[in-house]
Amino acid sequence: MAIHDWPEHERPRERLLARGAGVLSDAELLAIFLRVGSKGKSAVDLARELIGRFGGLNRLFVASQEDFSAVPGMGPAKYAQLQAVLEMARRALGEQLERGLGFDSPGGVRDYLRLHLAGLEHEVFLALWLDAQHRLIAAEELFRGTLTQTSVYPREVVKHALRHNAAAVVLAHNHPSGVAEPSRADELLTSELKQVLALVEVRVLDHFIVAGQSQPLSFAERGLL
């Protein structure tokens, strides 16, 4: 049954307008973006199929154009629309961080980091360089690795800190395995980076691990800084 044949109080768009986006499921939110379904499927059915096929919203968001367009009913136009929506979300969150909003507590940057790192199939090490008022100067991917590891070079991190004239930094990397727990190597690297950056008067505010659908893990909250 097409969504327009559903009772009005059950339709995703009408529920969003009446009660807010937070009451909708992932599939219902995606269905509003899709607008229409495909032959024999409502937009919600198609949304559920997409989420199931890619293993969640995060992996759907980072899917290649080729993989996305391989789904019947999808194509370059819809892929472009999705990427535009995601980029607008990143930029809106980035504007908040540029005004210094969100760095006073570890929870302030989680959404921003998830949009950048969640769902990637390779490890990425990211730095959010901040000024003395904890406003975002730049979000910079420093190193990229494989499925299981990334080589991080403290000397290069320091060079980037000096180039940006940063006063503080939030570090982040992802675990494609979906397990957010820090390894012993993660803890040692964080300690080393904290020490070498202190030599150039750059404070490490936090280090986040982004993994799957779970909340990014904060080293500061764990007492690991």
Side-chain angles (χ1 to χ4, degrees):
M1 183 185 296
I3 289 178
H4 62 75
D5 293 325
W6 294 9
E8 187 169 327
H9 69 278
E10 294 182 5
R11 300 173 193 169
R13 183 174 61 187
E14 283 70 18
R15 289 179 61 220
L16 183 150
L17 293 173
R19 300 176 58 192
V23 303
L24 270 60
S25 68
D26 291 349
E28 289 172 324
L29 289 168
L30 185 58
I32 292 175
F33 166 78
L34 295 173
R35 295 182 57 204
V36 296
S38 57
K39 186 175 181 180
K41 297 177 184 176
S42 70
V44 174
D45 293 331
L46 182 55
R48 288 181 182 137
E49 180 181 328
L50 280 166
I51 292 171
R53 179 173 184 141
F54 289 98
L57 287 177
N58 286 326
R59 293 196 179 278
L60 171 62
F61 293 160
V62 298
S64 67
Q65 180 181 341
E66 181 180 3
D67 291 340
F68 183 86
S69 300
V71 179
M74 299 299 99
K78 191 64 69 176
Y79 178 80
Q81 290 173 6
L82 180 61
Q83 295 306 309
V85 169
L86 292 172
E87 185 58 28
M88 284 192 290
R90 292 188 188 103
R91 294 186 186 188
L93 289 169
E95 286 176 2
Q96 289 185 338
L97 302 184
E98 287 168 4
R99 295 196 299 270
L101 304 176
F103 286 107
D104 293 332
S105 65
V109 294
R110 281 189 165 98
D111 289 341
Y112 185 82
L113 293 173
R114 288 182 69 178
L115 280 174
H116 277 271
L117 298 177
L120 295 177
E121 296 183 352
H122 54 271
E123 278 204 12
V124 167
F125 191 87
L126 187 76
L128 304 181
W129 300 112
L130 314 176
D131 66 13
Q133 285 73 47
H134 293 176
R135 294 174 301 203
L136 183 66
I137 298 171
E140 188 173 30
E141 180 184 312
L142 297 180
F143 307 102
R144 178 173 293 207
T146 64
L147 177 65
T148 57
Q149 64 180 2
T150 301
S151 296
V152 176
Y153 303 98
R155 180 176 178 179
E156 291 299 313
V157 177
V158 171
K159 286 169 61 177
H160 284 268
L162 293 173
R163 189 177 75 219
H164 289 291
N165 195 28
V169 65
V170 171
L171 306 170
H173 75 281
N174 63 311
H175 282 180
S177 65
V179 179
E181 285 300 312
S183 66
R184 181 58 180 160
D186 292 333
E187 294 180 22
L188 291 172
L189 173 63
T190 303
S191 177
E192 182 178 4
L193 289 175
K194 182 179 178 180
Q195 291 177 37
V196 298
L197 286 167
L199 295 175
V200 292
E201 299 181 339
V202 176
R203 183 184 172 201
V204 177
L205 298 183
D206 209 338
H207 185 171
F208 286 92
I209 297 177
V210 180
Q213 303 287 338
S214 61
Q215 284 279 13
L217 180 142
S218 161
F219 276 53
E221 288 182 344
R222 283 287 188 92
L224 297 175
L225 278 181

